[in-house]
Amino acid sequence: MGQSEGESAGVQARVAVVGAGFVGRGLVHRLARRTSVAGLLVVNRRAERAVQAFADAGVDPDAVVREDDPARVGEAVAEGRPAVLADASVLPEVPGIDVVVEATGAMTFGTRTILAALEGGRHVVSMNAEVDALLGHHLQAVAERAGVVYTIGDGDQPGVLLRVMHEAEQLGLRPTVALNCKRNLDVHQNPDDSRPYAERDGTSVEMTTAFGDGTKMHIENVVTANLSGLRPAPIGTPGVRTELAAVADDVRAAGIEPGTVHFTLGGDFGGGVLVLAGTDDPDFDAPYLRYGKLGDGPWYPLFRPYHLIHMEVPVTIDQVLAGGPALGTRTPAPVATCVAVAKRDLRAGEQLDGIGGFTAYGVAATVEEGAELLPIGLSQHATLRRDVGVDQPVRLEDVELDEDAELVRLARQRRG
């Protein structure tokens, strides 16, 4: 069997995975079997879930070291013994960890985990798009000051789109439109609607709701925008209903401008992502691209039919530990934000309940269009001052923010 770059180069890494949910459990299963991982620590509030993640990977539960003393955890990891830590606050004190993978999707907890790891001199691979959409530029600055790498991970849509865009550039093409492929969308889907799907798929109700109402997709598009310079379409622009054979023509016919990150609806894209690329020498390149079955242009579809989440994260870990860069090139300042839109008629005095809740869904916007709007990542800290009608963006002036909340403070610092 083939080896990854890290395995073939003999890189021996000590990795901490924070979170033992849907993504974290899958990642532990992969990392526990890799020769490039010399030590593996799983951090999870419920220690039994972390132990079960190791058991699912074929590790004898009795062999798992369960400790909250950072020195003893560090010893276990250094000796190559699987270890579990329930108290995430002591993770920065655990010696010898090379890279921390944030896999919880939680906003405040994820932010604290990432900041503590970076400030402690650890590389961070983040599967937490929610945090990156709100604070990615700040986290990048912290990483640069500490001399470490902060990066999103391969496997989720932003990482996969960035890889396809890079491939387009290597082919001498110009990424023109990046497309997140969405099968179904119901912006009013709420946790009650989502519960049967969450039970079926083994995901949290909040995560399932954020998938269904489009918030997760729009957050991913914001992350992609801020790591590529592409910009979201105006708020209210519908997804493009199309299929692979017609996507280039349909996206152009829908009026999607070059330099945009957007989304398709329905179609035959499965779990894939797609980049429409142009060429600076169409007279010469067009016959070859037509021969390659990419159509008549001027936009050519580069389709990747899958994203495999945790299965792809080791690629990012290996890249970072081999001295490689973060995925994408972060723009000098944010170009996109994900704003809150009322999921139903909201009344003054209501407290919003955050991503994947009953009160709001998220929509990608340019920073200019979203300047006076509430970021969805702060919505759990917002109480309404006035009524907001269904499907109306929530303005900052519509809410009272909890100024003591850590995310509010960091977001205000970022906005200056």
Side-chain angles (χ1 to χ4, degrees):
M1 294 177 65
Q3 292 180 309
S4 73
E5 179 182 345
E7 289 179 305
S8 62
V11 175
Q12 291 289 293
R14 296 180 177 93
V15 181
V17 176
V18 183
F22 183 74
V23 174
R25 173 175 170 268
L27 182 56
V28 170
H29 187 271
R30 281 296 182 269
L31 294 178
R33 298 159 179 259
R34 290 175 67 87
T35 59
S36 60
V37 176
L40 183 57
L41 168 65
V42 182
V43 184
N44 199 75
R45 180 173 55 87
R46 292 171 53 192
E48 65 274 13
R49 290 195 67 176
V51 173
Q52 185 60 50
F54 273 117
D56 292 340
V59 177
D60 182 353
D62 293 334
V64 178
V65 176
R66 305 174 221 193
E67 270 286 352
D68 278 332
D69 179 273
R72 292 179 179 172
V73 173
E75 289 175 4
V77 174
E79 294 168 1
R81 291 184 288 159
V84 164
L85 177 66
D87 185 0
S89 68
V90 303
L91 175 58
E93 303 171 40
V94 176
I97 299 296
D98 299 305
V99 60
V100 173
V101 182
E102 212 300 310
T104 67
M107 290 293 302
T108 300
F109 177 82
T111 299
R112 289 174 181 165
T113 298
I114 294 169
L115 283 172
L118 295 174
E119 291 166 350
R122 274 75 180 267
H123 302 302
V124 171
V125 174
S126 177
M127 295 302 285
N128 196 325
E130 293 81 357
V131 168
D132 192 272
L134 183 68
L135 296 170
H137 280 75
H138 175 70
L139 299 174
Q140 179 69 35
V142 172
E144 289 174 355
R145 289 196 296 270
V148 293
V149 173
Y150 163 73
T151 181
I152 63 163
D154 284 278
D156 214 353
Q157 281 90 339
V160 177
L161 278 167
L162 290 166
R163 291 288 189 192
V164 177
M165 283 189 273
H166 180 63
E167 180 182 1
E169 292 167 347
Q170 289 181 312
L171 294 172
L173 301 176
R174 182 182 65 258
T176 301
V177 175
L179 294 166
N180 203 324
C181 301
K182 183 85 174 132
R183 185 182 308 168
N184 300 302
L185 178 63
D186 176 6
V187 297
H188 303 130
Q189 183 171 320
N190 65 42
D192 289 340
D193 303 324
S194 301
R195 194 161 282 106
Y197 304 107
E199 293 172 355
R200 179 195 67 190
D201 297 335
T203 54
S204 71
V205 172
E206 293 79 11
M207 178 188 294
T208 305
T209 303
F211 290 154
D213 70 14
T215 300
K216 180 72 169 173
M217 175 197 66
H218 282 284
I219 284 172
E220 291 164 352
N221 282 0
V222 168
V223 173
T224 302
N226 287 330
L227 286 168
S228 68
L230 300 179
R231 296 163 69 85
I235 293 174
T237 304
V240 180
R241 291 196 174 274
T242 186
E243 295 184 347
L244 182 57
V247 63
D249 291 338
D250 287 346
V251 169
R252 291 180 67 228
I256 305 303
E257 297 288 339
T260 297
V261 56
H262 197 49
F263 62 103
T264 63
L265 282 175
D268 52 352
F269 303 102
V273 301
L274 194 145
V275 172
L276 299 177
T279 172
D280 293 326
D281 194 354
D283 290 340
F284 185 86
D285 287 340
Y288 290 94
L289 293 167
R290 188 180 303 112
Y291 180 79
K293 306 298 188 290
L294 292 184
D296 295 325
W299 295 354
Y300 299 92
L302 303 180
F303 178 54
R304 212 248 212 175
Y306 59 89
H307 71 285
L308 297 179
I309 318 172
H310 64 276
M311 293 184 181
E312 301 186 55
V313 177
V315 176
T316 325
I317 296 173
D318 287 348
Q319 176 172 307
V320 169
L321 293 177
L327 286 180
T329 301
R330 199 170 291 278
T331 54
V335 300
T337 182
C338 192
V339 301
V341 180
K343 191 175 283 190
R344 55 174 172 78
D345 287 331
L346 302 174
R347 301 303 178 198
E350 282 193 72
Q351 182 170 351
L352 304 186
D353 57 357
I355 294 169
F358 287 91
T359 57
Y361 58 93
V363 173
T366 64
V367 290
E368 295 83 4
E369 192 176 18
E372 303 301 324
L373 303 179
L374 174 69
I376 190 69
L378 298 182
S379 58
Q380 71 271 33
H381 300 299
T383 302
L384 287 171
R385 291 172 168 165
R386 55 178 65 89
D387 296 352
V388 178
V390 63
D391 295 326
Q392 295 301 305
V394 181
R395 304 183 66 81
L396 285 167
E397 65 184 18
D398 295 332
V399 301
E400 185 78 32
L401 285 170
D402 178 1
E403 297 295 339
D404 293 328
E406 185 173 359
L407 290 177
V408 174
R409 177 177 55 81
L410 290 171
R412 288 208 187 282
Q413 288 178 5
R414 189 207 72 181
R415 293 166 70 99

